[in-house]
Amino acid sequence: MSVLPAAFLDALSARFTDRFSTAVAVREQHGHGESHHTGVIPDGVVYAESTEEVSFVVGLCAAHDIPVIAYGAGTSLEGHLIALRGGISLDLSRMNRVTRVSPSDLDCTVQAGVTREALNSHLRDQGLFFPIDPGANASIGGMAATRASGTNAVRYGTMRENVLALTVVLPTGQVIHTGGRARKSSAGYDLTRLFVGSEGTLGIITEVTLRLYGIPESISVALCSFDDVGQAVEAATAIVQLGVPVARMELMDRGLISAVNRYSGLDLTVDDKLAFEFHGSPGSVEEHVRLVGEVVTDAGGRNFEWATSPEDRNRLWKARHNAFYAVVSQRPGAKGWSSDVCVPVSELGNCILHAREILKGCQVPAAILGHVGDGNFHVVFAVDPGNAEELAEVARLNKKMVHKAISVGGTCTGEHGVGIGKMAYLREEHGDAVDLMALLKHAVDPKGILNPGKIVGQA
């Protein structure tokens, strides 16, 4: 623990009393996400309950040159929460109010600590839902900060398309509002898009205005088996190119199916699979299911089954959402390392087969899964965080997948964000544009107090 100024500690204690903690257990909880990255704990944790309180903490940190890292649900995978320079972890989980819902405008405003599941529970009786589903029950503020997406992105897009406006606390403590509820605007720089994906390095998001959607009249799921992953990707690519409006299209290889069966108590046949979800009227859903069934059968798929009951849908997607934990659970004490490349759909088959090839001989439990409708796929490894040789092997495999993705016009991260885990690949992907990112960071945060050492690496 670094030495924090007495005046700084006194100010936090006076303002927040028991909502400011320097207890080791609390600090350790806030010094890491859910991945393999080695945690570094902050010097203290503040639980904020309003934008005003966030502004107070950030302004105080700025006055004393003390780093501050925003913390939501703790589900990040690329080291976003690690306190590389110590400082204050600003926990926003108590900022959990849905402040406004407008059914007629299909939008709402929420505090940053509202989780995805809590928001949809709040909206359900109004016939609305928020579709962005990264798997984990992440906070809306964290999802905006990492530009999250997930299983529904093929139909509904990512956080980039679904955030209308933000309330943001700048590194000085100043509060600004970006965007608005109008569905289009040509007024000035698009600051909302600047902060969406900035991972808490330019400002701390405290409120988010979101697009909402009507709950579909009919929802159906389907599952199909393949003899090899190449056939599955061929079918997925054909479905995208035909323009079939699937809501979800998920690839799960046989290694993942085996892990999910054990973890979730399922009895799925162990082979490579595509899982689908369809939204719409009963007639349109039936038509799209039938068309997809024909496509997957032509590609070599078999046992194409579909169902409409909520129980079947929830059982399947719960298993898919638990995929990361299912793979990690295969080894006691393991941590998850998840790759996160995204490529043009036309290159998807080539890249997944490349991943399958380089995984041959890998001594670490691993499985391939992905939101193949938008070209995003992952390899999840269950690693021993204390085994340097094993970590080096996985790093080498991950690097090969990233290089392959970038070489075909893809990206090193489709949805997890950069954090510290993907910093080494930014210049390969963006070239001199990384220098502009660094200039923006310095211009907005000249003291470098907001989540230092992330994205552009200024610590």
Side-chain angles (χ1 to χ4, degrees), residues 343-401:
V343 299
V345 172
S346 62
E347 297 287 349
L348 183 62
N350 184 26
C351 289
I352 289 181
L353 291 175
H354 172 262
R356 174 65 66 88
E357 184 64 26
I358 66 175
L359 287 175
K360 290 180 179 178
C362 177
Q363 300 303 307
V364 177
I368 299 175
L369 62 150
H371 322 308
V372 289
D374 56 14
N376 188 196
F377 75 94
H378 315 286
V379 176
V380 178
F381 301 89
V383 299
D384 176 356
N387 188 325
E389 182 177 336
E390 186 172 293
L391 291 174
E393 179 190 7
V394 174
R396 177 180 59 81
L397 297 176
N398 184 59
K399 186 176 183 179
K400 285 186 175 182
M401 286 186 284

Side-chain angles (χ1 to χ4, degrees), residues 29 34 71-76 81 91-93 112-113 115 136-140 142:
Q29 174 194 347
E34 292 195 335
Y71 184 98
T75 57
S76 74
L81 306 177
D91 190 315
L92 308 182
S93 61
T115 64
N137 188 23
S139 67
I140 297 298

Side-chain angles (χ1 to χ4, degrees), residues 423-440:
M423 284 169 50
Y425 306 112
L426 272 195
R427 192 164 294 276
E428 179 182 353
E429 182 174 335
H430 293 296
D432 290 344
V434 176
D435 298 329
L436 179 57
M437 295 181 196
L439 283 172
L440 285 169

